[in-house]
Amino acid sequence: MPPTTPQPKDRDDAAVIVVGAGPAGSATAYHLARAGVDVLLLEKAEFPREKVCGDGLTPRAVHQLIRMGVDVDGPGWTRSRGMRWVAGGRSALIEWPRLGRYPDFGLTRTRHDFDDLLARHAVGAGARLRTGTKVTGALTDRAGRVIGVRAQVGPERTESEYRARVVVAADGASARLALGLGLRRDERQPIATAARRYYRSPQRSQEEYLELWADLRLPGTDRYLPGYGWIFPMGDGRVNVGLGALPNRRNGTVDLRATMDHWLARTPAHWGLRPGEGDAAEGQVLSAALPLGFNRHPQYGRGLLLVGDSGGMVSPWNGEGIAQALEAGEVAAEAVAMALTVPDGPAHERALGRYPVEMSRRWGRHYRLGNVLTKHVFSRAGFQPLLNGWVMGSPAVLDGMARLLVGLTDDPPRDRVDRVLGTLLRLVPEPKPSR
Ligand SMILES: Cc1cc2nc3c(=O)[nH]c(=O)nc-3n(C[C@H](O)[C@H](O)[C@H](O)COP(=O)(O)OP(=O)(O)OC[C@H]3O[C@@H](n4cnc5c(N)ncnc54)[C@H](O)[C@@H]3O)c2cc1C
């Protein structure tokens, strides 16, 4: 017999609404559901769907997947042992460090698969996912506090409203929900842009290292790209090839596509990456923005938390954003689950205010230093000034630099590199949490 009263799964309200089912949103929803919270995850697209990305996961991202109980040994994952940096005609291999805190391997997987898998994982834990649901704005009470969202649902764009005690914005770099509430980005932080394309390259596809090229030049000039290029093995006969660039007044707008062609023309013909030779490219060159260095504040305010790219959480060191999105999702979920145990009021607000405090504790100093280097070094010539012949020939220095770039240190410190990096970061004043 059909049910006569609406079942809980059909309700349009929830304890928590999460907007966007990318890594940030699915991680937040997963951890909330695991804590027994009624969570509604609203996503405008239908899965599986494309997301422009390099598809590279560092050990810090893998660590978060393991914490979520994702089976990283199953089919579809390609493991990496470390990175290969190419600069100034030299190349150097750097193994992922053996730390107590993080695994010693990275992964690649297309976002087409990865985001679908994570969203299903959140549903498996008890989150309610609504795809084809485009959030158009926040619902606020008289005091301006967010109490839900408005959305257009399905192909007919049916107007709907969803209410919750807490709303999480995980809607990516466009950050529409935050912008609608007047939360503009911090103009002092640059926004990088990155582009990628898949190529069939059976030989490079089985590589065990994520390859990073630090000495790319802008076509028609002698200037170095203020960024780097990557070739990431996908394990399925393809590689993900791309590059990212920081804005720099001297260069004007960087033509990423032309720079990519200029670079790939230097690669050996048998890799299948040279422009115009053979038919190895699959699909178009697609590009998107990378909001860096905690560029949107406050990360919590008026009942709304910003998680992942919507809070500008991409690392200013290397353009990585998935580990940060997953980690922020877990931190946000913990703060929200605690806040839900008390009625609305000061104790509720204090619990939610733990989110920016914990994010600052984890990443604040690292990002502050990264933001300074981005402004004064990386935005001029990428990593090229740091990767001279001496550095490229010094495995210990490269190991230290790699750990700094990816944020891989042990706690308590494991070795001399950890101690040096720990001391360096302690010298950086911790920024005030973004409230
Ligand atoms: C070219 C490129 C290469 C990159 N390479 C890497 C890499 O190799 N490794 C890495 O770690 N990071 C990489 N990044 C960064 C990484 O892609 C992001 O940091 C990461 O996707 C952030 O996750 P997120 O969940 O915050 O946002 P997103 O992944 O953008 O997810 C946001 C979700 O919200 C949905 N959404 C948006 N608006 C609405 C709305 N109004 N209503 C409902 N749903 C909505 C979107 O459809 C999407 O599913 C790269 C970025 C680019 C551009």
Side-chain angles (χ1 to χ4, degrees):
M1 203 165 75
T4 50
T5 50
Q7 296 300 292
K9 296 250 180 253
D10 297 324
R11 285 197 330 260
D12 281 347
D13 58 352
V16 182
I17 287 171
V18 178
V19 179
S26 290
T28 311
Y30 168 83
H31 288 290
L32 282 167
R34 287 280 295 169
V37 173
D38 174 28
V39 54
L40 188 57
L41 179 57
L42 304 178
E43 165 59 48
K44 69 176 178 185
E46 299 290 348
F47 288 112
R49 57 114 180 82
E50 279 278 328
K51 159 76 177 87
V52 183
C53 189
D55 305 327
L57 301 170
T58 62
R60 205 154 165 165
V62 180
H63 169 74
Q64 284 306 125
L65 294 178
I66 292 169
R67 289 179 69 79
M68 289 173 67
V70 172
D71 175 11
V72 295
D73 290 320
W77 301 103
T78 298
R79 282 198 183 204
S80 62
R81 292 177 54 173
M83 296 182 279
R84 178 186 293 111
W85 282 4
V86 182
R90 307 174 68 136
S91 78
L93 290 180
I94 306 160
E95 305 287 328
W96 295 122
R98 288 237 152 103
L99 305 174
R101 199 154 47 148
Y102 302 112
D104 64 352
F105 64 95
L107 293 167
T108 49
R109 185 166 193 145
T110 65
R111 293 292 298 274
H112 186 262
D113 271 9
F114 180 68
D115 288 25
D116 184 27
L117 181 148
L118 282 191
R120 281 190 281 120
H121 198 66
V123 170
R128 291 184 282 142
L129 171 66
R130 299 274 173 89
T131 54
T133 303
K134 182 178 181 181
V135 170
T136 52
L139 298 170
T140 52
D141 64 12
R142 280 198 193 149
R145 190 184 169 79
V146 178
I147 51 167
V149 294
R150 267 188 305 279
Q152 295 173 339
V153 181
E156 293 82 26
R157 299 187 177 180
T158 311
E159 296 289 340
S160 300
E161 290 187 356
Y162 303 89
R163 284 165 198 270
R165 278 186 76 193
V166 180
V167 175
V168 175
D171 50 351
S174 68
R176 293 252 155 74
L177 198 55
L179 272 175
L181 291 162
L183 303 176
R184 316 225 150 266
R185 79 175 174 90
D186 182 345
E187 302 282 341
R188 289 167 304 176
Q189 308 300 342
I191 291 237
T193 45
R196 70 98 171 97
R197 189 180 211 177
Y198 292 105
Y199 288 81
R200 290 215 73 73
S201 180
Q203 186 200 5
R204 301 306 321 267
S205 184
Q206 300 301 329
E207 266 287 332
E208 293 182 299
Y209 294 87
L210 302 180
E211 189 159 297
L212 306 167
W213 288 56
D215 62 350
L216 308 190
R217 295 205 189 244
L218 301 172
T221 76
D222 210 27
R223 296 211 170 113
Y224 284 112
L225 172 81
Y228 66 88
W230 69 79
I231 303 173
F232 289 172
M234 301 309 300
D236 61 356
R238 297 182 303 162
V239 285
N240 180 320
V241 179
L243 45 83
L246 288 158
N248 184 313
R249 245 179 297 139
R250 286 189 318 164
N251 298 326
T253 309
V254 172
D255 182 340
L256 291 177
R257 199 197 164 104
T259 310
M260 200 154 141
D261 283 351
H262 189 63
W263 161 37
L264 295 180
R266 282 165 59 189
T267 58
H270 64 275
W271 289 7
L273 309 180
R274 284 195 187 170
E277 293 183 21
D279 196 21
E282 275 191 1
Q284 300 299 311
V285 177
L286 297 177
S287 63
L290 290 167
L292 306 175
F294 286 165
N295 78 351
R296 200 178 302 278
H297 316 280
Q299 288 167 355
Y300 170 68
R302 293 195 281 154
L304 182 79
L305 292 89
L306 309 185
V307 178
D309 277 14
S310 75
M313 294 183 178
V314 174
S315 169
W317 290 94
N318 62 357
E320 176 191 12
I322 299 173
Q324 292 76 355
L326 297 173
E327 208 165 310
E330 182 175 8
V331 175
E334 187 179 340
V336 172
M338 288 299 149
L340 292 175
T341 63
V342 290
D344 288 353
H348 182 75
E349 288 305 302
R350 265 199 308 280
L352 292 171
R354 287 293 310 158
Y355 170 60
V357 171
E358 178 60 16
M359 289 305 290
S360 179
R361 193 190 65 76
R362 289 181 185 221
W363 297 97
R365 290 188 159 108
H366 189 239
Y367 271 32
R368 181 172 244 188
L369 186 59
N371 283 340
V372 170
L373 284 172
T374 295
K375 192 166 171 189
H376 299 292
V377 181
F378 304 148
S379 65
R380 298 194 176 167
F383 300 115
Q384 180 59 28
L386 305 181
L387 296 175
N388 55 34
W390 177 75
V391 171
M392 288 295 282
S394 315
V397 179
L398 278 174
D399 175 45
M401 273 179 58
R403 289 202 224 173
L404 186 58
L405 284 177
V406 185
L408 287 174
T409 53
D410 232 348
D411 184 20
R414 181 190 66 121
D415 56 14
R416 208 161 44 159
V417 177
D418 264 353
R419 278 190 288 279
V420 170
L421 295 183
T423 308
L424 174 71
L425 290 175
R426 270 194 301 279
L427 292 174
V428 179
E430 189 173 334
K432 282 209 180 97
S434 101
R435 277 193 273 187

